[in-house]
């Protein structure tokens, strides 16, 4: 029989253990104005309750040191939906996505940028070749540049940057294995695959886009079967408006980029982040246009996957910001860091043609078979597709 003293000691230990758990959760989830990229070993250690330490392309950060979302949406806004969907999709697929605080941009800084009077690269002089971007383009451009600066400051070896409306398939953690293998083969990677699944002999790995210039003149590619890729009649190169009829069904190609557009998701190495920051800091045009030019001109070593691994989700009629205008000016900066926490309820209400409705608005995602956003609360045996109809295919070019 246990004595009262020994029972008391056990209660003390239990209480101390619970306090330590509470302190860890508060430190991990409370919003913070500071920006600190997590250590890779810490990330994979907390992948989920059932996962062992995993250094592969299928881990909770898809083989990168971190996944970082560029977002300035205010989740307290009645019309906010982007971050909620992002967190739901991350939870559905077991990903750790960090949503750092986006700094406030002053009116003067925004005006100077749009007027061509801004020092983006920090050399003490106003940068040349500013092309008077729109307000949304300018805010998105600054957000991407700030993210690159923080990656460089944190000495992060590889990072995947995604916009807050990015969407992907529920099977994404199996989709990345052949992509990583193909990247290593195309670049003759010399870095150890157990630490760097994609190697580091590239600047930009453009995984989420709205289309790439891809054809018979494209550089060598590696093609492989992927059952999670839609049949070609349901795929569309949205930016160019072309089909993928020349591709076999359920096939993905990894290749040097011909010139993708739309920065829904792109990875950078540390040296790639430095090059991209220097390259993009010389103009105020749309960030994806500048990155596109860097890939086309050879200023950046860019590889991509066709069809894309990620696309953005559209919500028709929603009063929210588009990925072309991250920050947009209408919303307060978003706070938060996701590591397995929950989002507000946003259950997909009903099927609507080939898409679905969410909170009374039709939502769809191009080129993704089983959207993680649309299926966040569904099991693998009840998945729905969330695709645009023919009219929406023709209407939207991103």
């Amino acid at each position: 029989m246990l004595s009262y003293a020994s029972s008391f000691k056990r209660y003390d230990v239990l209480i101390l253990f619970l306090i330590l758990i509470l302190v860890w959760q508060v430190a991990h989830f409370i919003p913070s104005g500071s920006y600190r990229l997590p250590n890779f070993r810490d990330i994979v250690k907390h992948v989920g309750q059932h996962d062992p330490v995993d250094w592969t392309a299928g881990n909770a950060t898809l083989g990168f040191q971190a996944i970082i979302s560029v977002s300035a949406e205010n989740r307290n806004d009645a019309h906010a939906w982007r971050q909620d969907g992002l967190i739901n999709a991350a939870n559905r697929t077991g990903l750790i996505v960090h949503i750092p605080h986006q700094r406030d941009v002053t009116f003067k800084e925004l005006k100077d940028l749009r007027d061509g009077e801004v020092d983006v690269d920090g050399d003490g002089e106003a940068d040349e070749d500013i092309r008077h971007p729109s307000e949304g383009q300018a805010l998105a451009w600054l957000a991407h540049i700030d993210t690159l600066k923080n990656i460089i400051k944190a000495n992060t070896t590889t990072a995947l940057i995604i916009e807050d409306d990015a969407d992907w398939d529920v099977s994404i953690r199996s989709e990345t294995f052949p992509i990583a293998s193909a990247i290593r083969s195309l670049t003759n990677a010399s870095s150890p695959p157990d630490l760097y699944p994609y190697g580091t002999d590239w600047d930009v790995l453009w995984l989420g886009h709205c289309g790439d210039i891809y054809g018979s003149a494209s550089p060598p590619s590696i093609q492989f079967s992927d059952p999670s890729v839609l049949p070609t009649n349901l795929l569309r190169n949205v930016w160019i408006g072309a089909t993928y009829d020349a591709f076999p069904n359920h096939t993905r190609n990894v290749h040097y980029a011909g010139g993708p557009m739309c920065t829904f998701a792109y990875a950078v190495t540390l040296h790639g982040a430095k090059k991209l920051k220097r390259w993009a800091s010389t103009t105020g045009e749309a960030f994806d246009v500048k990155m596109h030019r860097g890939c086309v001109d050879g200023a950046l070593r860019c590889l991509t996957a066709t069809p894309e691994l990620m696309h953005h989700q559209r919500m028709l009629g929603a009063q929210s910001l588009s990925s072309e205008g991250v920050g947009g000016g209408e919303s307060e900066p978003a706070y938060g860091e996701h590591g397995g926490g929950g989002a507000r309820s946003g259950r997909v209400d009903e099927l609507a043609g080939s898409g679905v409705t969410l909170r009374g608005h039709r939502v769809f995602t191009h080129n993704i078979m089983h959207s993680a956003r649309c299926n966040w609360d569904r099991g693998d045996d009840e998945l729905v597709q969330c695709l645009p109809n023919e009219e929406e295919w023709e209407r939207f070019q991103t």
Side-chain angles (χ1 to χ4, degrees):
M1 183 174 180
L2 293 175
S3 67
Y4 175 82
S6 62
S7 298
F8 184 75
K9 287 180 181 178
R10 288 193 177 188
Y11 278 117
D12 276 354
V13 171
L14 177 60
I15 291 171
L16 179 60
F17 179 70
L18 293 174
I19 290 173
L20 288 174
I21 290 177
L22 179 62
V23 168
W24 180 86
Q25 288 179 330
V26 169
H28 193 68
F29 292 112
I30 278 188
S32 171
S34 64
Y35 186 98
R36 182 184 66 83
L37 291 178
N39 180 276
F40 192 25
R41 294 182 183 276
D42 292 337
I43 290 175
V44 297
K45 194 182 298 181
H46 301 296
V47 165
Q49 285 128 25
H50 59 284
D51 287 355
V53 173
D54 181 0
W55 298 85
T56 68
N59 71 9
T61 53
L62 300 179
F64 303 102
Q65 187 170 342
I67 303 177
I68 307 158
S69 174
V70 177
S71 177
E73 181 185 61
N74 178 10
R75 288 186 68 200
N76 294 320
D77 190 301
H79 303 293
W81 62 276
R82 298 154 66 91
Q83 283 191 40
D84 284 348
L86 180 68
I87 293 172
N88 284 334
N91 282 333
R92 174 63 175 84
T93 51
L95 297 184
I96 297 176
V97 178
H98 295 270
I99 310 174
H101 168 52
Q102 296 291 324
R103 67 182 177 87
D104 294 321
V105 177
T106 66
F107 174 79
K108 182 180 184 305
E109 183 179 10
L110 184 61
K111 183 178 183 301
D112 286 348
L113 173 59
R114 299 185 68 190
D115 293 343
E117 299 287 336
V118 67
D119 173 24
V120 176
D121 53 14
D123 62 0
E125 299 180 2
D127 297 299
E128 299 178 357
D129 194 29
I130 300 296
R131 302 188 181 186
H132 308 289
S134 68
E135 180 178 337
Q137 288 175 334
L139 286 163
W141 186 65
L142 286 169
H144 281 278
I145 293 293
D146 284 348
T147 301
L148 293 171
K149 288 179 178 178
N150 285 310
I151 288 170
I152 296 165
K153 183 179 179 180
N155 202 38
T156 307
T157 307
T158 61
L160 178 62
I161 301 168
I162 65 176
E163 293 178 340
D164 62 359
D165 56 358
D167 197 5
W168 53 86
D169 195 90
V170 295
S171 62
I172 191 169
R173 288 176 66 171
S174 62
E175 292 177 326
T176 45
F177 281 103
I179 291 176
S181 177
I183 294 293
R184 292 189 65 86
S185 295
L186 288 170
T187 59
N188 296 313
S190 56
S191 53
D194 55 339
L195 292 179
Y196 305 104
Y198 305 85
T200 56
D201 299 305
W202 46 272
D203 298 324
V204 174
L205 176 52
W206 208 324
L207 292 177
H209 52 78
C210 53
D212 188 18
I213 303 168
Y214 184 84
S216 58
S218 298
S221 69
I222 294 178
Q223 186 178 96
F224 52 86
S225 175
D226 184 341
S228 69
V229 174
L230 287 163
T232 54
N233 67 311
L234 296 178
L235 291 170
R236 185 66 55 92
N237 185 323
V238 186
W239 172 49
I240 299 174
T243 65
Y244 286 100
D245 290 343
F247 284 50
N249 282 329
H250 308 296
T251 300
R252 202 183 303 274
N253 291 263
V254 174
H255 54 96
Y256 281 90
M261 196 66 76
C262 306
T263 48
F264 303 143
Y266 62 97
V268 291
T269 55
L270 179 58
H271 53 78
K274 293 175 181 178
K275 288 172 67 174
L276 179 55
K277 173 182 165 292
R278 286 195 302 270
W279 173 255
S281 293
T282 59
T283 181
E285 64 186 340
F287 184 82
D288 65 332
V289 174
K290 185 62 178 178
M291 199 161 85
H292 163 91
R293 294 186 194 279
C295 294
V296 172
D297 296 345
L300 301 167
R301 292 179 298 172
C302 306
L303 293 101
T304 188
T306 304
E308 65 272 23
L309 195 67
M310 296 185 180
H311 205 93
H312 74 159
Q313 184 169 89
R314 283 192 175 274
M315 176 180 279
L316 299 185
Q319 299 179 31
S320 187
L321 308 175
S322 69
S323 28
E324 291 83 4
V326 177
E330 303 106 53
S331 298
E332 294 294 323
Y335 294 81
E337 180 173 285
H338 164 65
R344 283 199 301 262
S345 173
R347 180 177 176 83
V348 173
D349 301 314
E350 59 182 295
L351 293 177
S354 59
V356 298
T357 60
L358 176 64
R359 298 181 192 166
H361 295 280
R362 178 170 165 77
V363 293
F364 59 85
T365 305
H366 282 91
N367 296 347
I368 302 298
M369 182 177 286
H370 293 122
S371 155
R373 284 176 176 258
C374 289
N375 289 286
W376 74 273
D377 57 350
R378 287 180 165 84
D380 289 346
D381 59 345
E382 53 178 356
L383 298 175
V384 298
Q385 291 192 333
C386 194
L387 300 170
N389 57 35
E390 286 290 339
E391 178 185 352
E392 291 156 348
W393 252 356
E394 298 299 327
R395 178 182 173 189
F396 297 104
Q397 296 181 347
T398 62

